[in-house]
């Protein structure tokens, strides 16, 4: 698994993918300010952070698919499975190793940018939150990213072509957004959409600074979904990559 | 002409063999459902005109994201799957490849977008009372088709300039966001840059016809109606010229 993380990081940093990723996130951050101006809202700490959170979860789900879509399907495209077999690396380790790499790297960069904007906006516009609500917000973000990245890894493990993975991610994104409009059930379907309990609790934390009673459920639900998706991803990757061996 | 036909045949076979066409139809169907559900969620007093306006806006603003997987991968996949040999064998030049892809994908997706708009307008006849004039409907249909050519041409240009898949898709997303930022900073200029944003002149015209909301701030007059139609075509042509002149697709063919 260590080897997978090492190879993936080599590809990520050698291809300067991380620079493109940071640029996209910075553009997303600036877009959040532009949205407030376009919609004629006032620049307050709460308004800005709500839009940034919305963009850094909902749109992040779309953007991250570009960077993760090649994770597993690339192994099929490049026909690298025989190399893994020669190195005695299991498919499970390939999937989990890639997940760990993307989860740590993409989340850390994204959460760092989110937090920098969080503290700067708190300084400029006032109303900065205390430590405990801020930590709760970070925890929610981490759990949402856990779900998003495992969903993308799962999609990547289902298709032979990385281009199709992005198309599929978009379709899944729309379907999840549509299903979120269902009453009650919509709260628990996808953690990155505006009607989710995660968004609701972020709103409460931002406005009242209070940690919701069901905080454990809010954090654990995306992680449970994510784990289930990862198990499914391992199964799908086995089917996909085993066809690839000589 | 013969080479162009061969290339268009090659592209259609690629779409069918890789089953990409099925996924693209999935994109169109889910977008259709989204545009049906979207206005219902926010406004209970919606009418036929408003729903059509919503459908047009969803197609224009979101279609690009749905097509990233295919169009940003367009030139990268040739390198990846070594299609160069086939091109060399059939004496196909880079200009032929770029031109054929502009023609094929613009026709394909404009038709699909137009069909999606017509299909949704037929579905809504059973749900709402028709309250739109024929000419307004026709105008919106043409606007959807022409705006689609803008999106498709922009993506093919990006794919030709930045051959790497992750880079070209990242660049498209960056452009999408940058247009949004420019619209926020300089709304008058931003409105005429691209139909991809809710502050564009296209969005303003759709809002004027259908009554749905738009962030376009300038006044809508007859010139706005004309500009909304002409600008995407002019931009698409510029994108085509840039792709022919500056494409990075040189290795392995000439």
């Amino acid at each position: 698994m260590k080897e997978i993380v090492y190879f993936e990081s080599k590809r990520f940093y050698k291809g300067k993918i991380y620079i493109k990723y940071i640029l996209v996130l910075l553009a997303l951050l600036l877009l959040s300010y532009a949205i407030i101006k376009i919609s004629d809202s006032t620049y307050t700490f709460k308004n800005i952070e709500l839009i940034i959170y919305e963009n850094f979860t909902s749109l992040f789900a779309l953007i991250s698919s570009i960077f993760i879509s090649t994770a597993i399907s690339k192994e099929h495209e490049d026909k690298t499975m025989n190399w893994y077999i020669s190195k005695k690396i299991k498919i499970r380790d390939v999937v989990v190793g890639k997940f760990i790499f993307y989860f740590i790297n993409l989340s850390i960069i994204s959460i760092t940018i989110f937090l920098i904007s969080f503290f700067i906006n708190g300084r400029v516009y006032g109303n900065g939150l205390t430590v405990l609500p801020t930590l709760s917000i970070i925890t929610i973000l981490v759990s949402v990213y856990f779900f998003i990245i495992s969903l993308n890894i799962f999609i990547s493990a289902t298709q032979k072509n990385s281009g199709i993975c992005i198309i599929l991610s978009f379709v899944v994104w729309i379907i999840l957004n549509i299903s979120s409009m269902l009453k009650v059930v919509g709260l628990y379907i996808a953690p990155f959409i505006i009607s989710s309990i995660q968004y609701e609790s972020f709103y409460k934390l931002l406005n009242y600074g209070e940690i919701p009673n069901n905080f454990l459920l809010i954090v654990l639900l995306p992680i449970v979904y994510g784990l289930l998706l990862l198990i499914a991803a391992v199964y799908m990757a086995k089917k996909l990559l085993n066809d690839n061996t000589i | 002409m013969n080479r162009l036909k061969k290339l268009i045949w090659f592209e259609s076979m690629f779409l069918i063999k890789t089953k990409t066409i099925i996924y693209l139809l999935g994109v169109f169907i889910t977008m259709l459902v989204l545009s049906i559900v979207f206005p219902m969620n926010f406004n209970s007093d919606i009418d036929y005109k408003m729903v059509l306006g919503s459908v047009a806006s969803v197609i224009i603003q979101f279609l690009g994201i749905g097509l990233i997987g295919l169009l940003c991968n367009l030139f990268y996949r040739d390198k990846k799957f070594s299609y160069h040999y086939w091109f060399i064998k059939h004496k196909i030049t880079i200009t032929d490849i770029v031109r054929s892809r502009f023609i094929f994908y613009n026709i394909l997706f404009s038709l699909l977008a137009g069909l999606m708009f017509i299909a949704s307008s037929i579905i809504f006849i059973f749900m709402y009372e028709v309250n739109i004039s024929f000419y307004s409907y026709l105008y919106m249909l043409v606007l959807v088709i022409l705006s689609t050519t803008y999106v498709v041409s922009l993506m093919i240009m990006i794919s030709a300039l930045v051959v790497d898949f992750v880079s070209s898709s990242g660049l498209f997303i960056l452009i999408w966001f940058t247009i949004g930022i420019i619209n926020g900073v300089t709304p008058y200029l931003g409105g005429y840059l691209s139909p991809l944003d809710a502050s564009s002149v296209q969005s303003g015209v759709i809002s004027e016809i259908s009554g749905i909301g738009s962030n376009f701030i300038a006044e809508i007059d007859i010139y706005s109606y004309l500009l909304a139609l002409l600008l995407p075509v002019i931009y698409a042509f510029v994108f085509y010229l840039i792709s022919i002149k500056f494409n990075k697709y040189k290795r392995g063919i000439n």
Side-chain angles (χ1 to χ4, degrees), chain A residues 95-125:
Chain A
V95 175
V96 178
K98 280 175 189 258
F99 169 77
I100 291 171
F101 170 77
Y102 282 108
F103 177 61
I104 292 174
N105 278 273
L106 299 193
S107 307
I108 285 179
I109 295 172
S110 180
I111 290 172
T112 308
I113 292 174
F114 180 84
L115 280 181
I116 290 170
S117 79
F118 196 82
F119 290 122
I120 291 174
N121 287 329
R123 280 268 177 193
V124 176
Y125 300 102

Side-chain angles (χ1 to χ4, degrees), chain B residues 228-253:
Chain B
L229 288 183
L230 284 177
L231 278 177
V233 184
I234 295 168
Y235 281 129
F237 187 65
V238 173
F239 295 151
Y240 167 72
L241 292 179
I242 293 173
S243 316
I244 294 279
K245 186 87 185 148
F246 301 105
N247 69 76
K248 294 276 184 289
Y249 190 68
K250 296 217 183 323
R251 262 162 277 145
I253 301 173

Side-chain angles (χ1 to χ4, degrees), chain A residues 76-93:
Chain A
H76 184 273
E77 285 173 354
D78 293 348
K79 297 184 171 53
T80 43
M81 206 48 228
N82 290 320
W83 185 83
Y84 287 128
I85 289 169
S86 69
K87 286 263 176 188
K88 288 180 181 157
I89 297 171
K90 289 177 184 166
I91 293 177
R92 188 191 61 209
D93 294 342

Side-chain angles (χ1 to χ4, degrees), chain B residues 117-228:
Chain B
F117 187 75
I118 293 169
S120 59
S121 59
I122 293 169
I123 294 169
F124 289 128
I125 287 176
F126 302 105
M127 295 162 78
Y128 302 98
E129 194 184 326
V130 178
N131 60 349
I132 190 168
S133 72
F134 176 70
Y135 289 109
S136 299
Y137 174 78
L138 203 65
Y139 180 85
M140 278 218 274
L141 177 66
V142 176
L143 189 67
V144 166
I145 289 172
L146 294 182
S147 299
T148 308
T149 60
Y150 172 95
V151 180
V152 172
S153 305
L154 173 68
M155 294 179 90
I156 297 176
M157 181 190 75
I158 292 171
S159 177
L161 296 184
V162 187
V163 178
D164 177 56
F165 180 36
V166 176
S167 303
S168 56
S169 5
L171 189 64
F172 176 75
I173 294 281
L174 257 179
I175 289 174
W176 198 44
F177 290 163
T178 311
I179 288 163
I181 296 164
I182 293 171
N183 274 326
V185 180
T186 55
Y188 283 100
L189 172 74
Y192 300 99
L193 271 180
S194 153
L196 288 172
D197 199 81
S199 316
S200 64
V201 62
Q202 285 80 8
S203 173
V205 169
I206 289 172
S207 163
E208 186 81 2
I209 296 171
S210 64
I212 58 160
S214 160
N215 295 323
F216 184 64
I217 56 165
E219 208 164 290
I220 302 287
D221 49 23
I222 185 72
Y223 298 109
S224 309
Y225 278 86
L226 264 175
L227 272 177

Side-chain angles (χ1 to χ4, degrees), chain A residues 11 15 17 20 23-28 30-32 34-35 37-39 59 62-63 66-67 69-70 74 77-78 159 161-164 166-168 170-171 173-175 177-178 181, chain B residues 14 18-20 23-24 26-27 30-31 33-34 37-38 41 62 65-66 68-70 73 76 80-81 164-167 169-170 173-174 176-177 180-181 183-185 187 197 199 215:
Chain A
R11 192 175 71 91
I17 298 173
K20 291 150 201 166
L23 276 175
V24 168
L25 284 184
L26 287 176
L28 192 60
L30 289 175
L31 181 75
S32 311
I35 288 172
K37 197 173 181 219
I38 291 168
S39 57
L59 282 180
L62 266 182
I63 295 163
I66 291 170
F67 298 94
S69 66
T70 53
K74 191 179 161 60
E77 285 173 354
D78 293 348
Q159 299 299 323
N161 186 320
S162 37
I164 290 178
I166 295 189
I167 299 175
L168 204 60
F170 178 70
V171 173
W173 186 79
I174 293 185
I175 291 172
N177 269 290
I178 293 168
M181 291 166 188
Chain B
F14 174 83
T18 55
K19 291 174 192 160
T20 311
Y23 292 97
L24 288 174
V27 168
T30 44
M31 275 176 67
V33 177
L34 179 74
V37 178
F38 195 62
N41 202 36
F62 286 97
I65 304 283
I68 281 183
L70 173 72
N73 200 7
Y76 179 67
K80 191 135 197 128
F81 299 121
D164 177 56
F165 180 36
V166 176
S167 303
S169 5
I173 294 281
L174 257 179
W176 198 44
F177 290 163
I181 296 164
N183 274 326
V185 180
D197 199 81
S199 316
N215 295 323

